[in-house]
Amino acid sequence: MPEGRRRRRRGSTLTTRDRLTLVGMVAVPTFLVVAFILVPTILSILLSFTSWNGIGGLDRIQYVGLDNYVNLFTKYRPFWPALSHNILWLAFFLFVATPLGLFFAVLLDKGIRGTRIYQSVLYMPVVLSLAIVGFIWTLQYSPDQGFLNNLFGTTSRDEHFIDWLGDKDINLWAVLVAASWRHVGYVMVLYLAGLKAVDPSLREAAQLDGANERQTFLRVVFPVLRPINIVVLVITVIESLRAFDIAYVINRGKNGLELLSILVTNNLIGEASLVGFGSAIAVVLLVISLGPIVYYLVRSVRAEAE
Amino acid sequence: MAVRHAARGSVVATGLAVAALSVSAVGAAAQGGTVTVGSNYSDEVPKAAFQAALDHCAQQTGDTYVVNTVEHGAFQDNINSYLQGTPDDVFTWFAGYRAKFFYAQGLAAPVSDVWADIESNYNPAFKGASTADDGEQIFVPFYNYPWVVIYNKAIWDEKGYEVPHTLEEFTALATQMQADGLIPVAFADKDGWPAMGTFDILNMRINGYDFHTGLMAGSESWTDPKVTAVFEAWRSLLPVHQAGALGRTWQEAAQDMIAGRAGMYFLGTFAGEQADEAQRANLDFFPFPTLGTEFDAQLGIDAPIDGFMLSREPANADGAKDLLRCLATGAAQNAFLAVSPNNVAAANDADTSAYTPFQEKAAAIIAGSGAIAQFLDRDTRPDFAGANGMQSFLQSFLGEPDQDLAALQASIQDFWDTLPPQ
C-alpha cells in the first residue's frame, strides 16, 4: 500500500491548527445540511404516513400507512390540476420566458442606443419580490378596476367581459405572463454577463470565415455559453417547481391556480392543519425535484472528473 | 403529556410564587396589572374602535392593556402556532364551532366564572354560541352583524324600486334592474369565503336551520338531494348575479353597489366599511327573501358573533377575566360601535339610542330571526371550510354552474370523509 502510506505521511505534515480548520470546514456545513435539510426531509417523509393536526404533542400523531397517498392520487381534486400546472409552468418558462431573456440579452449586448435604460427597465422586476409582483399584476388584471379591462373596455359593465383572474381557463396564463415578466429579466442578466465574457476574437474569427450573424451566434457564441446555459436551465427548473408567491397572492392557489407548493402550504398552515397529508404532497414535490437535481449533480461531477 | 403538564405546572407555580413575592414587596402595584390582548382588528376603523373600547375598560379596571395587533387574515392562519406558543392573555375570536374547536384542543381556557357574572346581560342564544360541548363557557360575545341584501337607497328612490319579500318579487326586481342597465346583484368570491353566505342562506331557507347545522356538523350528508336543491336554486339565481365573481374581491363588489352600478349586494353589514360617511347614510338593507318553503317562518340568518377568548395559561388570569367582564358590558361595546357603526352590540344593556338607522335595522332583523347561524366557516371544522375544502368546491360550482352536481356533491362528501377524526 504505497499510496496509503504516502497519503498518511502527507497528512502528518498538517499542523493541529490546520486539522482543526479542516474539521471545522467540513463539520459546520455538514451539520447545517444535516440539521436543516436532511433531518426535516426525513421527518417530512415520516410524517407523510401519519395523520396529525399540528396541535399537541407527538403522542397525538397517528400512523395511517399509505392513506394520505391513496387520497392524494385518487380523491383529492386539486392534485392533478396542480401537477399539470407545474408542468405547464416549466414548459412556458423553458420555451417562452427563457428564450425571450436570451433574445433581450443578445440585443442589449449589441450596445444599441439607450442600452443601460433598457437593461434597468428589464431587470427592475427581478429586484421586486414575487409577492409584490403578484400585487402589481393583480392591479392590472382586476376585473372592473384593473388597468387592462379599462384599457380594452372589457369590464363587467361591457359586453365582452374578460375575467383575467377568475376564469380558470385564463388565469394561469395571466399569472405566467406576470411570472415571466420577472423571469425574463433574470435570465437576461445571466446571459448578458455570459456574452460579455465571450472572447471577441472568436466572433472575429467566425466573421473572417464568412459566417453571418445568425451562424456566428448559433454555431460559435451559443456553444461557448454552455456553462451559463446549464445555470439558466437549473434556475428555470427550480423557479418552475417552487412557483408559489404570485398565485398565492392572487387567490391562494384556488380555482385554476393550483400549484403543488401551494397545496403543501394550504394543508400545513391555517386554523386546522393536515400535517400528514401536506407532507405527502411535499414528498411528491421532492421526488419530482430530485430528477433535475440528480441530472445537474451527475453532470457537474462528471465535468469535474474530466 | 401528563408528565409534561405537571412540569409546566410547577414552573408556573414557581413563577406565581415569585410574582406574589414581588407584588407583596411593591404593595400597591397590584392595583394596576398588565393584561396582554391579541387582536385581529387590523383595519383602520375597527382598530381605532377596539382601542376606544380598551381605553374605556382601562378606566374601569385600572389595569393596563397591551394590544398585539396582527393582520386579520394572518391572525387566523397562524392561530394554531400562536395559541401553542406564548399567546396573549385574551385574544379576539369567533363564536360557534370555530371557538369550540380550539377549546377542545386544549388551546383555550374556560370562562364559565365570567359568565356567572355576565349571564343576565345576554340572550340565551349568545350563551349557546359561547358554550363548548362539555358545558363550559369559552367565549365572550362582543358584537354581531347580519348577512342581508344591501342597497343604495338613492338609486332605489330614483327608480322607484320596492323591497322584495318573496323570491318572485326578488327576481322580478332583478329583471327590472337588468332592463334599467344595472347589475342586479353584485357578487364576488375571489377570496373563497363570501359565497359561503349565499350557500348558507339558501340552505336555511330551503332545508331549514336544523338540516343546515347537521350538514355543518357532519351528521347530514352532502350527497343528500336537499343539497342538490340548494345548488339548483343557486344556479337559477346566477344569471342576475354579477359575472366574473371569482376574480373580484368583496370590496370591489361592495363599491359597485355603493356607487350605484349594482342594484343589490348580499353580504354582511360590514360592506358598509367600504362607504364613506355620506355614502353610508345612503345604504339600506333587507333580509334575504323567503322562498315559499315550510322554513320561511324561521327566517334563518347568518349573524356571526365576534368576541373574545381566554388563552390556555394566561399570565394574568384575574386581570384577563376582569377585562372580559368589562368587554361584556354595553358601555364597552358602545365605545367600539361609536367608532365602527357597522355592527350591533351583543350585550342587553348596550345603549341603542345612539344607533344609526342602519344599526337599528340590523338589530331588528337579528331579533326577528328564529334561527341564527354563525357562518359556514364558523359552523364547521376549519380544515373542511378552508382553501382546499369548501372554498374550492364553491368556486368550482361558480366557475361551472352547469356541471354534474352529483359528482360535485360526491367529491365534497369524499373530502369530508378523508378528514381525520377529531
Side-chain angles (χ1 to χ4, degrees):
Chain A
M1 287 295 207
E3 204 185 312
R5 211 181 304 141
R6 208 188 312 142
R7 208 178 264 167
R8 215 175 300 139
R9 204 180 307 135
R10 203 195 291 158
S12 67
T13 61
L14 289 175
T15 63
T16 322
R17 205 181 136 184
D18 287 342
R19 243 179 252 158
L20 281 179
T21 313
L22 268 180
V23 168
M25 285 170 78
V26 174
V28 171
T30 309
F31 170 77
L32 291 178
V33 168
V34 169
F36 294 107
I37 297 178
L38 277 182
V39 169
T41 307
I42 292 166
L43 288 180
S44 289
I45 295 172
L46 291 179
L47 278 173
S48 74
F49 298 106
T50 66
S51 166
W52 186 37
N53 66 3
I55 300 175
L58 297 177
D59 54 338
R60 292 176 72 167
I61 302 181
Q62 275 186 325
Y63 175 75
V64 295
L66 287 172
D67 278 8
N68 289 329
Y69 290 95
V70 173
N71 280 339
L72 183 59
F73 293 128
T74 59
K75 287 187 176 158
Y76 192 57
R77 299 222 314 183
F79 176 70
W80 294 109
L83 189 64
S84 64
H85 295 161
N86 268 98
I87 294 171
L88 190 67
W89 196 292
L90 176 63
F92 192 85
F93 266 25
L94 271 184
F95 300 114
V96 181
T98 301
L100 204 59
L102 173 61
F103 178 67
F104 285 145
V106 172
L107 283 189
L108 291 179
D109 188 47
K110 300 236 171 289
I112 49 176
R113 207 186 305 153
T115 179
R116 269 162 203 278
I117 294 174
Y118 291 125
Q119 272 181 41
S120 316
V121 167
L122 287 170
Y123 190 67
M124 203 263 302
V126 186
V127 187
L128 303 174
S129 81
L130 273 167
I132 292 174
V133 173
F135 180 68
I136 291 174
W137 283 87
T138 305
L139 297 180
Q140 311 300 318
Y141 286 133
S142 162
D144 298 319
Q145 303 175 353
F147 174 73
L148 280 179
N149 274 355
N150 280 295
L151 181 70
F152 297 133
T154 49
T155 64
S156 62
R157 296 184 290 281
D158 297 287
E159 208 179 325
H160 306 286
F161 172 51
I162 303 179
D163 191 3
W164 296 102
L165 298 175
D167 185 332
K168 66 179 162 59
D169 298 325
I170 306 178
N171 55 10
L172 185 66
W173 299 102
V175 167
L176 280 173
V177 168
S180 301
W181 182 60
R182 185 172 182 276
H183 186 71
V184 165
Y186 196 5
V187 169
M188 180 200 75
V189 165
L190 290 172
Y191 272 122
L192 211 50
L195 287 169
K196 296 263 184 262
V198 171
D199 190 345
S201 60
L202 280 176
R203 291 181 210 238
E204 269 173 42
Q207 262 153 19
L208 284 178
D209 285 345
N212 64 23
E213 190 93 355
R214 216 184 75 210
Q215 286 169 326
T216 313
F217 179 75
L218 287 179
R219 304 256 170 99
V220 179
V221 177
F222 193 68
V224 172
L225 288 176
R226 192 165 162 271
I228 303 281
N229 287 335
I230 292 180
V231 169
V232 168
L233 181 70
V234 169
I235 283 173
T236 302
V237 172
I238 290 175
E239 289 276 316
S240 311
L241 287 176
R242 59 168 212 153
F244 174 79
D245 324 47
I246 295 188
Y248 195 75
V249 167
I250 285 174
N251 72 357
R252 300 199 132 202
K254 302 186 292 270
N255 181 42
L257 294 183
E258 291 88 354
L259 292 168
L260 288 175
S261 55
I262 294 183
L263 295 189
V264 175
T265 311
N266 280 347
N267 279 291
L268 289 184
I269 69 161
E271 283 173 38
S273 16
L274 301 170
V275 175
F277 190 67
S279 301
I281 306 174
V283 170
V284 171
L285 189 56
L286 172 72
V287 170
I288 296 172
S289 312
L290 280 178
I293 292 171
V294 168
Y295 168 80
Y296 175 69
L297 283 181
V298 166
R299 278 197 81 122
S300 55
V301 165
R302 207 179 280 158
E304 262 169 44
E306 282 165 14
Chain B
M1 216 42 201
V3 175
R4 225 187 312 149
H5 255 293
R8 206 190 284 149
S10 71
V11 170
V12 172
T14 331
L16 281 179
V18 172
L21 276 178
S22 59
V23 166
S24 65
V26 184
Q31 272 279 289
T34 299
V35 177
T36 56
V37 183
S39 163
N40 64 358
Y41 293 117
S42 55
D43 289 351
E44 204 179 324
V45 172
K47 188 177 179 182
F50 186 47
Q51 193 56 52
L54 286 179
D55 288 346
H56 164 81
C57 286
Q59 268 182 356
Q60 299 290 313
T61 62
D63 284 344
T64 308
Y65 300 119
V66 179
V67 187
N68 164 24
T69 305
V70 176
E71 194 277 318
H72 198 81
F75 187 88
Q76 269 101 275
D77 283 345
N78 299 322
I79 187 74
N80 219 320
S81 44
Y82 168 71
L83 291 180
Q84 291 190 73
T86 49
D88 301 297
D89 300 341
V90 172
F91 62 97
T92 55
W93 202 241
F94 316 103
Y97 195 99
R98 216 167 168 181
K100 290 190 220 169
F101 175 81
F102 290 101
Y103 173 73
Q105 304 290 335
L107 297 180
V111 290
S112 303
D113 48 343
V114 173
W115 264 90
D117 301 329
I118 64 173
E119 182 155 5
S120 60
N121 205 11
Y122 284 101
N123 291 336
F126 284 103
K127 190 179 181 189
S130 309
T131 304
D133 294 336
D134 65 359
E136 299 268 10
Q137 279 76 49
I138 53 167
F139 177 87
V140 173
F142 195 45
Y143 61 73
N144 65 349
Y145 56 89
W147 276 66
V148 286
V149 184
I150 308 168
Y151 63 93
N152 180 331
K153 239 184 330 195
I155 301 284
W156 279 44
D157 288 347
E158 182 195 320
K159 308 263 186 190
Y161 298 146
E162 303 247 337
V163 169
H165 299 286
T166 65
L167 186 66
E168 290 76 41
E169 290 171 10
F170 182 78
T171 38
L173 174 65
T175 318
Q176 180 60 42
M177 287 176 170
Q178 233 156 9
D180 292 345
L182 289 177
I183 300 162
V185 185
F187 195 36
D189 193 37
K190 181 162 173 253
D191 298 318
W193 56 265
M196 291 174 172
T198 311
F199 179 87
D200 286 355
I201 195 74
L202 289 174
N203 196 24
M204 280 191 277
R205 287 283 190 275
I206 295 172
N207 299 316
Y209 176 80
D210 291 336
F211 178 82
H212 180 66
T213 48
L215 187 65
M216 295 298 114
S219 55
E220 302 283 353
S221 167
W222 284 88
T223 53
D224 195 308
K226 290 179 171 181
V227 179
T228 320
V230 172
F231 281 117
E232 277 167 355
W234 198 350
R235 178 156 68 196
S236 69
L237 285 173
L238 279 179
V240 295
H241 279 70
Q242 192 171 14
L246 298 180
R248 187 180 299 109
T249 62
W250 69 263
Q251 287 93 338
E252 291 171 300
Q255 285 161 18
D256 281 337
M257 178 271 298
I258 290 164
R261 289 187 291 270
M264 317 177 248
Y265 189 24
F266 179 69
L267 200 78
T269 49
F270 57 81
E273 288 170 16
Q274 291 296 310
D276 62 32
E277 212 138 311
Q279 290 169 324
R280 198 184 298 151
N282 224 353
L283 295 182
D284 203 351
F285 53 86
F286 56 90
F288 195 84
T290 54
L291 300 191
T293 69
E294 56 180 304
F295 301 106
D296 282 355
Q298 215 174 41
L299 284 174
I301 193 172
D302 270 337
I305 306 167
D306 290 359
F308 306 93
M309 291 181 81
L310 184 65
S311 63
R312 67 183 199 285
E313 284 165 351
N316 181 357
D318 291 338
K321 286 181 178 175
D322 284 343
L323 172 61
L324 290 176
R325 283 188 192 93
C326 172
L327 290 169
T329 61
Q333 297 172 10
N334 281 128
F336 182 95
L337 296 173
V339 184
S340 179
N342 296 299
N343 312 293
V344 292
N348 289 335
D349 70 340
D351 175 15
T352 56
S353 64
Y355 274 7
T356 62
F358 192 87
Q359 284 171 300
E360 272 173 21
K361 203 160 190 179
I365 288 177
I366 294 172
S369 164
I372 296 179
Q374 293 300 312
F375 192 67
L376 196 150
D377 66 9
R378 302 182 183 204
D379 283 329
T380 189
R381 48 187 299 178
D383 40 14
F384 177 70
N388 293 135
M390 274 316 281
Q391 291 192 6
S392 279
F393 292 122
L394 292 184
Q395 287 193 333
S396 160
F397 168 72
L398 294 173
E400 290 170 89
D402 293 324
Q403 68 181 289
D404 179 4
L405 290 177
L408 176 70
Q409 290 171 248
S411 62
I412 299 176
Q413 187 60 42
D414 264 354
F415 182 69
W416 177 280
D417 292 339
T418 58
L419 292 174
Q422 283 184 339

